Amino acid sequence: MDNLYRVKIDSNKSNAPVVLERAFTDFKDYGEIEGVAVNPQTHELLVHSNRGKQIVLGMPKGFYPGYDREISEVYVYGMEPVCKAK
């Protein structure tokens, strides 16, 4: 499964901890995340995921068993901003 991580940046430190933000356990099948975006008006996280196409060393090499095409899906998650502008 794919995961989304967040880096907690502190300008007073030279290193930053990495925090697991979300494990995408609700995806329908294994694949890969192609893009992540945030809608600033709705505070929704949009995740574009593809599944079905077999990729080897960055090149398409046919389909996984049970697939005859690549399937693209967008998953939508509600988010709350960490800090709100004043």
Side-chain angles (χ1 to χ4, degrees):
M1 92 182 80
D2 285 319
N3 297 308
L4 178 67
Y5 294 90
R6 175 173 36 95
V7 178
K8 290 182 158 185
I9 298 174
D10 182 343
S11 61
N12 298 321
K13 296 183 179 179
S14 61
N15 60 5
V18 176
V19 177
L20 175 64
E21 185 71 27
R22 172 178 282 281
F24 294 103
T25 57
D26 56 335
F27 281 17
K28 293 182 181 160
D29 200 356
Y30 295 104
E32 59 185 332
I33 291 177
E34 294 291 339
V36 177
V38 175
N39 182 329
Q41 281 110 16
T42 63
H43 302 291
E44 291 173 323
L45 175 68
L46 308 172
V47 180
H48 172 212
S49 177
N50 286 342
R51 60 186 168 96
K53 178 85 66 162
Q54 187 175 16
I55 308 296
V56 178
L57 299 174
M59 301 294 295
K61 299 289 182 186
F63 299 101
Y64 285 106
Y67 289 91
D68 61 359
R69 61 188 167 88
E70 186 172 49
I71 298 172
S72 294
E73 299 167 312
V74 175
Y75 292 82
V76 180
Y77 301 94
M79 297 181 29
E80 289 298 321
V82 174
C83 60
K84 296 180 182 180
K86 294 181 180 180

